[in-house]
Coordinates of all heavy atoms in Angstrom, one line a residue:
M1 N 180.6 72.9 116.3 CA 181.1 73.7 115.2 C 180.0 73.8 114.1 O 179.3 72.9 113.9 CB 182.4 73.2 114.7 CG 183.5 73.1 115.7 SD 184.7 74.3 115.7 CE 185.4 74.4 114.2
M2 N 180.1 74.9 113.3 CA 179.1 75.1 112.2 C 179.7 74.6 110.9 O 179.1 74.9 109.9 CB 178.8 76.6 112.2 CG 178.1 77.1 113.4 SD 176.4 76.4 113.6 CE 175.6 77.1 112.2
D3 N 180.8 74.0 110.8 CA 181.4 73.6 109.5 C 180.9 72.3 109.0 O 181.2 71.9 107.9 CB 182.9 73.6 109.6 CG 183.4 72.7 110.7 OD1 182.6 72.2 111.5 OD2 184.7 72.4 110.6
Q4 N 180.1 71.6 109.7 CA 179.5 70.3 109.2 C 178.0 70.3 109.5 O 177.5 70.8 110.5 CB 180.2 69.1 110.0 CG 181.7 69.0 109.7 CD 182.2 67.8 110.4 OE1 181.5 67.1 111.1 NE2 183.5 67.5 110.2
G5 N 177.3 69.6 108.5 CA 175.9 69.4 108.6 C 175.5 68.2 109.4 O 176.4 67.6 110.1
P6 N 174.3 67.8 109.5 CA 173.3 68.3 108.6 C 172.7 69.6 109.2 O 172.7 69.8 110.4 CB 172.2 67.2 108.7 CG 172.4 66.5 110.0 CD 173.9 66.6 110.3
Y7 N 172.1 70.4 108.3 CA 171.5 71.6 108.7 C 170.0 71.5 108.3 O 169.7 70.8 107.3 CB 172.1 72.8 108.0 CG 173.6 73.0 108.3 CD1 174.6 72.6 107.4 CD2 173.9 73.5 109.5 CE1 175.9 72.8 107.7 CE2 175.3 73.7 109.9 CZ 176.2 73.3 108.9 OH 177.6 73.5 109.3
Y8 N 169.2 72.2 109.0 CA 167.7 72.1 108.7 C 167.2 73.6 108.7 O 167.8 74.4 109.5 CB 167.0 71.3 109.8 CG 167.5 69.9 109.9 CD1 168.4 69.5 110.8 CD2 166.9 68.9 109.0 CE1 168.9 68.2 110.9 CE2 167.4 67.6 109.1 CZ 168.3 67.3 110.0 OH 168.8 66.0 110.1
A9 N 166.2 73.8 108.0 CA 165.6 75.2 107.9 C 164.1 75.0 108.2 O 163.4 74.1 107.8 CB 165.8 75.8 106.5
V10 N 163.6 76.0 108.8 CA 162.2 76.1 109.1 C 161.7 77.5 108.8 O 162.3 78.5 109.2 CB 161.9 75.9 110.6 CG1 160.4 76.1 111.0 CG2 162.4 74.5 111.1
K11 N 160.7 77.6 108.0 CA 160.1 78.9 107.6 C 159.3 79.4 108.8 O 158.4 78.7 109.3 CB 159.2 78.7 106.4 CG 158.6 80.0 105.9 CD 157.7 79.8 104.6 CE 157.2 81.1 104.2 NZ 156.3 81.0 103.0
M12 N 159.6 80.6 109.2 CA 158.8 81.2 110.3 C 158.2 82.5 109.8 O 158.8 83.3 109.1 CB 159.8 81.5 111.5 CG 160.4 80.3 112.0 SD 161.4 80.6 113.5 CE 160.1 80.9 114.7
E13 N 157.0 82.7 110.2 CA 156.2 83.9 109.8 C 155.6 84.5 111.0 O 155.2 83.7 112.0 CB 155.2 83.6 108.8 CG 155.8 83.1 107.4 CD 154.7 82.8 106.4 OE1 153.5 83.1 106.7 OE2 155.1 82.3 105.3
S14 N 155.4 85.8 111.1 CA 154.7 86.4 112.2 C 153.2 86.1 112.1 O 152.7 85.9 111.0 CB 155.0 87.9 112.2 OG 154.4 88.5 111.1
G15 N 152.6 86.1 113.2 CA 151.1 85.9 113.3 C 150.6 86.6 114.6 O 151.3 87.1 115.4
A16 N 149.3 86.6 114.7 CA 148.6 87.2 115.8 C 148.0 86.1 116.7 O 147.3 85.3 116.2 CB 147.6 88.2 115.3
L17 N 148.3 86.2 118.0 CA 147.7 85.3 118.9 C 146.4 85.9 119.5 O 145.6 85.2 120.0 CB 148.7 84.9 120.0 CG 149.9 84.2 119.5 CD1 150.9 84.0 120.7 CD2 149.5 82.8 119.0
G18 N 146.4 87.2 119.6 CA 145.2 87.9 120.1 C 145.2 89.3 119.5 O 146.1 89.6 118.7
T19 N 144.4 90.1 120.0 CA 144.3 91.5 119.5 C 144.5 92.4 120.6 O 144.1 92.2 121.8 CB 143.0 91.8 118.8 OG1 141.9 91.5 119.7 CG2 142.8 90.9 117.6
A20 N 145.0 93.6 120.3 CA 145.1 94.7 121.3 C 144.3 95.9 120.8 O 144.4 97.0 121.3 CB 146.6 95.1 121.5
G21 N 143.5 95.6 119.7 CA 142.7 96.7 119.1 C 141.3 96.1 118.8 O 141.0 95.0 119.3
G22 N 140.6 96.8 118.1 CA 139.2 96.4 117.8 C 138.2 97.4 118.4 O 138.6 98.3 119.1
P23 N 137.0 97.1 118.1 CA 136.0 98.1 118.6 C 135.8 98.0 120.1 O 135.9 96.9 120.7 CB 134.7 97.6 117.9 CG 134.9 96.2 117.4 CD 136.4 96.1 117.2
K24 N 135.6 99.1 120.7 CA 135.3 99.2 122.1 C 133.9 98.7 122.4 O 133.0 99.1 121.6 CB 135.5 100.7 122.6 CG 135.4 100.8 124.1 CD 135.8 102.2 124.5 CE 135.7 102.4 126.0 NZ 136.0 103.7 126.4
T25 N 133.7 98.0 123.4 CA 132.4 97.4 123.8 C 132.1 97.8 125.2 O 132.9 98.2 126.0 CB 132.4 95.9 123.7 OG1 133.4 95.4 124.5 CG2 132.6 95.5 122.2
N26 N 130.8 97.7 125.6 CA 130.4 97.9 126.9 C 130.2 96.6 127.6 O 130.5 95.5 127.1 CB 129.1 98.8 127.0 CG 127.9 98.1 126.3 OD1 127.9 96.9 126.0 ND2 126.9 98.9 126.1
G27 N 129.6 96.5 128.8 CA 129.4 95.3 129.6 C 128.4 94.4 129.0 O 128.3 93.2 129.4
N28 N 127.6 94.8 128.0 CA 126.7 94.0 127.3 C 127.2 93.5 126.0 O 126.5 92.9 125.2 CB 125.4 94.7 127.0 CG 124.6 95.1 128.3 OD1 124.5 94.2 129.2 ND2 124.1 96.3 128.4
A29 N 128.5 93.7 125.7 CA 129.2 93.3 124.5 C 128.7 94.1 123.3 O 129.0 93.7 122.2 CB 129.1 91.8 124.2
Q30 N 128.0 95.2 123.5 CA 127.6 96.1 122.4 C 128.8 97.0 122.0 O 129.5 97.5 122.8 CB 126.5 97.0 122.9 CG 125.2 96.3 123.2 CD 124.2 97.2 123.9 OE1 124.4 97.7 125.0 NE2 123.2 97.6 123.1
V31 N 128.9 97.1 120.7 CA 130.0 98.0 120.1 C 129.6 99.4 120.3 O 128.4 99.8 120.1 CB 130.2 97.7 118.6 CG1 131.2 98.6 118.0 CG2 130.7 96.2 118.4
L32 N 130.5 100.2 120.7 CA 130.2 101.6 121.0 C 130.7 102.5 119.9 O 131.7 102.2 119.2 CB 131.0 102.0 122.3 CG 130.6 101.2 123.6 CD1 131.4 101.7 124.7 CD2 129.1 101.2 123.9
D33 N 129.9 103.6 119.6 CA 130.4 104.6 118.6 C 131.4 105.5 119.2 O 131.8 105.4 120.3 CB 129.1 105.3 118.0 CG 128.4 106.2 119.1 OD1 129.0 106.5 120.1 OD2 127.3 106.6 118.8
W34 N 131.8 106.5 118.4 CA 132.9 107.4 118.8 C 132.5 108.2 120.1 O 133.4 108.6 120.8 CB 133.2 108.4 117.7 CG 133.9 107.7 116.5 CD1 133.3 107.5 115.3 CD2 135.2 107.1 116.5 NE1 134.2 106.8 114.5 CE2 135.4 106.6 115.2 CE3 136.2 107.0 117.4 CZ2 136.5 106.0 114.8 CZ3 137.4 106.3 117.0 CH2 137.5 105.8 115.7
S35 N 131.2 108.4 120.3 CA 130.7 109.1 121.5 C 130.5 108.2 122.7 O 130.1 108.7 123.7 CB 129.4 109.9 121.1 OG 129.6 110.8 120.1
G36 N 130.7 106.9 122.5 CA 130.5 106.0 123.7 C 129.1 105.5 123.8 O 128.8 104.8 124.8
N37 N 128.3 105.6 122.7 CA 126.9 105.1 122.8 C 126.9 103.8 122.1 O 127.5 103.6 121.0 CB 126.0 106.1 122.1 CG 126.0 107.5 122.7 OD1 125.9 107.6 123.9 ND2 126.3 108.5 121.9
P38 N 126.1 102.9 122.6 CA 125.9 101.6 121.9 C 125.3 101.7 120.5 O 124.4 102.5 120.3 CB 125.0 100.8 122.8 CG 125.0 101.5 124.1 CD 125.3 102.9 123.8
I39 N 125.9 100.9 119.6 CA 125.3 100.9 118.2 C 124.3 99.8 118.2 O 124.6 98.6 118.4 CB 126.4 100.6 117.2 CG1 127.5 101.7 117.2 CG2 125.8 100.5 115.8 CD1 128.7 101.5 116.4
P40 N 123.0 100.1 118.0 CA 121.9 99.1 118.1 C 122.2 97.9 117.2 O 122.5 98.1 116.0 CB 120.7 99.9 117.6 CG 121.0 101.3 117.9 CD 122.5 101.5 117.7
G41 N 122.1 96.7 117.8 CA 122.2 95.5 117.0 C 123.6 95.0 116.7 O 123.8 94.0 116.1
L42 N 124.7 95.8 117.1 CA 126.0 95.5 116.8 C 126.8 95.0 118.1 O 126.9 95.8 119.0 CB 126.8 96.6 116.2 CG 128.2 96.4 115.6 CD1 128.2 95.2 114.6 CD2 128.8 97.6 115.0
Y43 N 127.2 93.8 118.1 CA 127.9 93.2 119.2 C 129.3 92.7 118.8 O 129.5 92.4 117.6 CB 127.1 92.0 119.8 CG 125.8 92.5 120.4 CD1 124.7 92.6 119.6 CD2 125.6 92.7 121.7 CE1 123.4 93.0 120.1 CE2 124.4 93.1 122.3 CZ 123.3 93.2 121.4 OH 122.1 93.6 122.0
A44 N 130.2 92.5 119.7 CA 131.5 91.9 119.4 C 132.0 91.1 120.6 O 131.6 91.4 121.8 CB 132.5 93.0 119.1
A45 N 132.7 90.0 120.3 CA 133.2 89.2 121.4 C 134.6 88.6 120.9 O 134.9 88.5 119.7 CB 132.2 88.0 121.6
G46 N 135.4 88.2 121.9 CA 136.7 87.5 121.5 C 137.6 88.4 120.8 O 137.8 89.6 121.1
N47 N 138.3 87.9 119.8 CA 139.2 88.6 119.0 C 138.6 89.7 118.1 O 139.3 90.5 117.5 CB 140.1 87.7 118.1 CG 141.2 87.1 118.9 OD1 141.5 87.5 120.0 ND2 141.8 86.0 118.4
A48 N 137.3 89.8 118.0 CA 136.6 90.8 117.3 C 136.4 92.1 118.1 O 135.8 93.0 117.5 CB 135.3 90.2 116.7
M49 N 136.8 92.1 119.3 CA 136.6 93.2 120.2 C 137.9 93.7 120.8 O 138.9 93.0 120.7 CB 135.6 92.9 121.3 CG 136.1 91.9 122.3 SD 134.9 91.3 123.5 CE 135.0 92.6 124.7
A50 N 137.9 94.9 121.3 CA 139.1 95.4 122.0 C 139.5 94.4 123.1 O 138.6 93.9 123.8 CB 138.9 96.8 122.5
A51 N 140.7 94.0 123.3 CA 141.1 93.0 124.2 C 140.7 93.4 125.7 O 140.9 94.6 126.1 CB 142.6 92.8 124.1
V52 N 140.2 92.5 126.4 CA 139.9 92.7 127.8 C 141.1 93.1 128.6 O 141.0 93.9 129.5 CB 139.2 91.4 128.4 CG1 138.9 91.6 129.8 CG2 137.9 91.1 127.6
L53 N 142.2 92.5 128.3 CA 143.4 92.8 129.1 C 144.3 93.9 128.5 O 145.4 94.1 128.9 CB 144.3 91.5 129.1 CG 143.7 90.3 129.8 CD1 144.6 89.1 129.7 CD2 143.4 90.6 131.2
G54 N 143.7 94.7 127.6 CA 144.4 95.8 127.0 C 145.5 95.3 126.1 O 145.3 94.4 125.3
E55 N 146.7 95.7 126.3 CA 147.8 95.3 125.5 C 148.6 94.1 126.0 O 149.5 93.6 125.4 CB 148.8 96.4 125.3 CG 148.3 97.6 124.5 CD 149.3 98.7 124.3 OE1 150.5 98.5 124.5 OE2 148.8 99.8 124.0
A56 N 148.1 93.5 127.1 CA 148.7 92.3 127.7 C 148.1 91.1 127.0 O 147.0 91.1 126.5 CB 148.5 92.2 129.2
Y57 N 148.9 90.0 127.0 CA 148.5 88.7 126.5 C 148.6 87.7 127.6 O 149.8 87.5 128.1 CB 149.2 88.3 125.2 CG 148.8 87.0 124.7 CD1 147.5 86.8 124.2 CD2 149.7 85.9 124.7 CE1 147.1 85.6 123.7 CE2 149.3 84.6 124.2 CZ 148.0 84.5 123.7 OH 147.6 83.3 123.2
G58 N 147.6 87.1 128.0 CA 147.6 86.2 129.2 C 148.2 84.8 128.9 O 148.4 84.0 129.8
G59 N 148.5 84.5 127.7 CA 149.1 83.2 127.3 C 148.2 82.4 126.5 O 147.1 82.8 126.1
A60 N 148.6 81.2 126.1 CA 147.8 80.3 125.2 C 146.4 80.1 125.7 O 146.2 79.8 126.9 CB 148.6 78.9 125.2
G61 N 145.5 80.3 124.8 CA 144.1 80.2 125.2 C 143.5 81.4 125.9 O 142.3 81.3 126.2
G62 N 144.3 82.4 126.0 CA 143.8 83.6 126.8 C 142.7 84.3 126.1 O 142.0 85.1 126.8
T63 N 142.4 84.1 124.9 CA 141.3 84.8 124.2 C 140.0 83.9 124.2 O 138.9 84.4 123.9 CB 141.6 85.1 122.8 OG1 142.0 83.9 122.1 CG2 142.8 86.1 122.7
L64 N 140.1 82.7 124.6 CA 138.9 81.8 124.6 C 137.9 82.2 125.7 O 136.7 82.2 125.4 CB 139.4 80.3 124.8 CG 140.3 79.8 123.7 CD1 140.7 78.3 124.1 CD2 139.6 79.8 122.4
G65 N 138.4 82.5 126.9 CA 137.4 82.9 127.9 C 136.6 84.1 127.6 O 135.4 84.1 127.7
P66 N 137.3 85.2 127.2 CA 136.6 86.4 126.9 C 135.7 86.2 125.6 O 134.6 86.7 125.6 CB 137.7 87.4 126.5 CG 138.8 87.0 127.3 CD 138.8 85.5 127.3
G67 N 136.1 85.3 124.7 CA 135.2 85.1 123.6 C 133.9 84.4 124.0 O 132.9 84.7 123.5
M68 N 134.1 83.3 124.8 CA 132.9 82.6 125.2 C 132.0 83.5 126.2 O 130.8 83.5 126.0 CB 133.3 81.3 126.0 CG 133.9 80.3 125.1 SD 134.4 78.7 125.7 CE 134.5 78.9 127.5
T69 N 132.7 84.2 127.1 CA 131.9 85.0 128.0 C 131.1 86.1 127.3 O 129.9 86.3 127.5 CB 132.9 85.6 129.1 OG1 133.5 84.5 129.7 CG2 132.1 86.5 130.1
F70 N 131.8 86.9 126.5 CA 131.1 88.0 125.8 C 130.2 87.5 124.8 O 129.2 88.2 124.5 CB 132.1 89.0 125.4 CG 132.6 89.9 126.5 CD1 133.8 89.6 127.1 CD2 131.9 91.0 126.8 CE1 134.2 90.4 128.2 CE2 132.3 91.9 127.9 CZ 133.5 91.5 128.6
G71 N 130.4 86.4 124.1 CA 129.5 85.8 123.2 C 128.2 85.4 123.9 O 127.1 85.7 123.5
Y72 N 128.3 84.9 125.1 CA 127.1 84.5 125.9 C 126.4 85.8 126.4 O 125.2 85.9 126.3 CB 127.6 83.7 127.2 CG 126.5 83.4 128.2 CD1 125.7 82.4 128.0 CD2 126.4 84.2 129.3 CE1 124.7 82.1 128.9 CE2 125.4 83.9 130.2 CZ 124.5 82.8 130.0 OH 123.5 82.6 130.9
I73 N 127.2 86.8 126.8 CA 126.5 88.1 127.3 C 125.8 88.7 126.1 O 124.7 89.2 126.3 CB 127.6 89.0 127.9 CG1 128.1 88.5 129.2 CG2 127.1 90.4 128.0 CD1 129.3 89.2 129.7
A74 N 126.4 88.7 124.9 CA 125.8 89.3 123.8 C 124.5 88.6 123.4 O 123.5 89.3 123.1 CB 126.8 89.3 122.6
G75 N 124.6 87.3 123.4 CA 123.4 86.5 123.1 C 122.2 86.8 124.1 O 121.1 86.9 123.6
R76 N 122.5 86.8 125.3 CA 121.5 87.1 126.3 C 120.9 88.5 126.2 O 119.7 88.7 126.3 CB 122.0 86.9 127.8 CG 122.3 85.4 128.1 CD 122.3 85.2 129.5 NE 121.2 85.8 130.2 CZ 120.7 85.4 131.3 NH1 121.2 84.3 131.9 NH2 119.8 86.1 132.0
H77 N 121.8 89.5 126.0 CA 121.3 90.8 125.8 C 120.5 91.0 124.6 O 119.4 91.6 124.6 CB 122.5 91.8 125.8 CG 122.1 93.2 125.8 ND1 121.9 94.0 124.7 CD2 121.8 94.1 126.8 CE1 121.6 95.2 125.0 NE2 121.5 95.3 126.3
L78 N 120.9 90.4 123.5 CA 120.2 90.5 122.2 C 118.9 89.8 122.4 O 117.8 90.3 121.9 CB 121.0 89.9 121.1 CG 120.4 89.9 119.7 CD1 120.1 91.4 119.3 CD2 121.3 89.3 118.7
G79 N 118.8 88.7 123.0 CA 117.6 87.9 123.2 C 116.5 88.7 124.0 O 115.4 88.5 123.8
T80 N 116.9 89.6 124.9 CA 116.0 90.4 125.6 C 115.5 91.6 124.9 O 114.6 92.3 125.3 CB 116.6 90.8 127.0 OG1 117.7 91.6 126.8 CG2 117.0 89.6 127.8
H81 N 116.2 91.9 123.7 CA 115.8 93.1 123.0 C 115.3 92.8 121.6 O 115.2 93.7 120.7 CB 117.1 94.0 122.8 CG 117.5 94.6 124.2 ND1 118.2 93.9 125.1 CD2 117.2 95.8 124.7 CE1 118.4 94.7 126.2 NE2 117.8 95.8 126.0
I82 N 114.9 91.6 121.3 CA 114.2 91.2 120.1 C 112.7 91.2 120.3 O 112.2 90.6 121.2 CB 114.7 89.8 119.6 CG1 116.2 89.8 119.3 CG2 113.9 89.3 118.4 CD1 116.7 88.4 118.9
S83 N 112.0 91.9 119.4 CA 110.6 92.0 119.6 C 110.0 90.7 118.9 O 110.5 90.2 117.9 CB 110.0 93.2 118.9 OG 110.4 93.2 117.5
N84 N 109.0 90.2 119.5 CA 108.3 89.0 119.0 C 107.3 89.4 118.0 O 106.3 90.0 118.3 CB 107.7 88.2 120.1 CG 108.7 87.6 121.1 OD1 109.8 87.2 120.7 ND2 108.3 87.6 122.4
H85 N 107.5 89.0 116.7 CA 106.6 89.3 115.7 C 105.8 88.1 115.2 O 106.3 87.1 115.1 CB 107.3 89.9 114.4 CG 107.9 91.3 114.7 ND1 107.2 92.4 114.9 CD2 109.2 91.6 114.9 CE1 108.0 93.4 115.1 NE2 109.2 93.0 115.1

């Protein structure tokens, strides 16, 4: 019955576990412009890019793999396109 305590309260707020938006990227993790062309020197990975799974969320930790993978891909791609001065 609800006529006797003790009662407890917990403050709940909404939050984001992942993203379903963000800049579109190509296979090199380069951010694409409105025409689908890579923007030179601009990369995105993890929650900073459009989600790999679209609007689906794979569960706890589901953004860690794409973040690490596309971060690695971006670093490798950028490393091959830096001129040695």
Side-chain angles (χ1 to χ4, degrees):
M1 301 259 304
M2 297 291 292
D3 59 347
Q4 294 183 0
Y7 300 104
Y8 301 94
V10 176
K11 182 179 179 179
M12 299 186 72
E13 296 181 5
S14 62
L17 297 174
T19 59
K24 186 174 182 180
T25 56
N26 63 14
N28 293 319
Q30 295 172 287
V31 174
L32 304 178
D33 65 17
W34 293 110
S35 299
N37 301 308
I39 299 172
L42 186 58
Y43 296 82
N47 279 344
M49 65 188 280
V52 176
L53 298 176
E55 294 182 16
Y57 179 65
T63 59
L64 297 176
M68 293 186 337
T69 301
F70 280 94
Y72 175 81
I73 291 169
R76 288 202 45 154
H77 188 265
L78 182 59
T80 62
H81 290 82
I82 295 176
S83 60
N84 295 324
H85 293 288

